[in-house]
Amino acid sequence: MESLNLPVFDYNTKQIGGKPYIFDVLRKKYVLITPEEWVRQHVVHLLLNQYGYPKSLIRSEGGLKLNQLQKRTDLLVFDRNGKPFLLVECKAPQVTVTQQVFDQIGRYNHVHQAPYMVVTNGLTHFCCCVDYQLNTVDFLDDLPRFDGGTHGLPGGP
């Protein structure tokens, strides 16, 4: 798989029906390795290993209803009170992060109301904080750590 601008992590793979699968520690099963899945798995391990997020508070590929359509969020992290905290949209490395991608995560976050959003293609990463009172979005240099500190996100704005 392609080298990304995210920390390397230990992972398990296997072939199923001649196709590569990777073990997803959140879903506790092997999933097909697509370019987007490769990015998602890197982000999951980044959140767990570098930023201190508990595995039990991260949901992968969760469903949501948007304008009568069923959609799926790539990753949604909850706070200890069960409220959405961080929404992540992963794209394949060859997909350029454009305004359309930000519009997509914005629509998803209109439903979830998470204070933090991340968009990444594994090479370029953007994190922003949403202030719903002031109706503003501020781009950050780093992801929020689960404990409130910062660690340093490679390839940020």
Side-chain angles (χ1 to χ4, degrees), residues 89-107 117-128 139:
E89 179 61 30
C90 299
K91 296 297 183 189
Q94 66 271 18
V95 175
T96 303
V97 176
T98 63
Q99 184 62 48
Q100 287 178 313
V101 177
F102 284 100
D103 292 345
Q104 177 185 3
I105 197 171
R107 285 189 301 272
M117 297 185 301
V118 173
V119 173
T120 182
N121 65 2
L123 303 173
T124 305
H125 326 288
F126 297 93
C127 180
C128 54
F139 283 87

Side-chain angles (χ1 to χ4, degrees), residues 8 13 24 30 42 46 50 97-98 108 125 128 131 136 148-149 155 157:
V8 177
T13 61
D24 182 338
Y30 282 88
H42 274 76
L46 176 76
Q50 306 281 328
V97 176
T98 63
Y108 292 177
H125 326 288
C128 54
D131 184 324
T136 60

Side-chain angles (χ1 to χ4, degrees), residues 67-134:
N67 297 327
Q68 307 302 320
L69 299 173
Q70 196 63 35
K71 301 288 184 181
R72 288 189 148 332
T73 57
D74 287 322
L75 294 169
L76 180 60
V77 180
F78 296 90
D79 65 18
R80 293 203 188 277
N81 296 318
K83 292 183 178 180
F85 177 73
L86 175 74
L87 180 62
V88 181
E89 179 61 30
C90 299
K91 296 297 183 189
Q94 66 271 18
V95 175
T96 303
V97 176
T98 63
Q99 184 62 48
Q100 287 178 313
V101 177
F102 284 100
D103 292 345
Q104 177 185 3
I105 197 171
R107 285 189 301 272
Y108 292 177
N109 203 34
H110 184 73
V111 174
H112 291 298
Q113 300 282 301
Y116 295 97
M117 297 185 301
V118 173
V119 173
T120 182
N121 65 2
L123 303 173
T124 305
H125 326 288
F126 297 93
C127 180
C128 54
C129 179
V130 181
D131 184 324
Y132 294 98
Q133 301 290 340
L134 299 176

Side-chain angles (χ1 to χ4, degrees), residues 142-156:
D142 195 8
L143 296 175
R145 284 185 60 85
F146 191 73
D147 62 10
T150 60
H151 186 69
L153 181 65

Side-chain angles (χ1 to χ4, degrees), residues 26-40:
L26 299 179
R27 293 177 270 183
K28 298 179 182 160
K29 66 179 184 177
Y30 282 88
V31 295
L32 182 66
I33 302 175
T34 63
E36 182 178 316
E37 187 62 45
W38 183 238
V39 172
R40 181 181 10 250

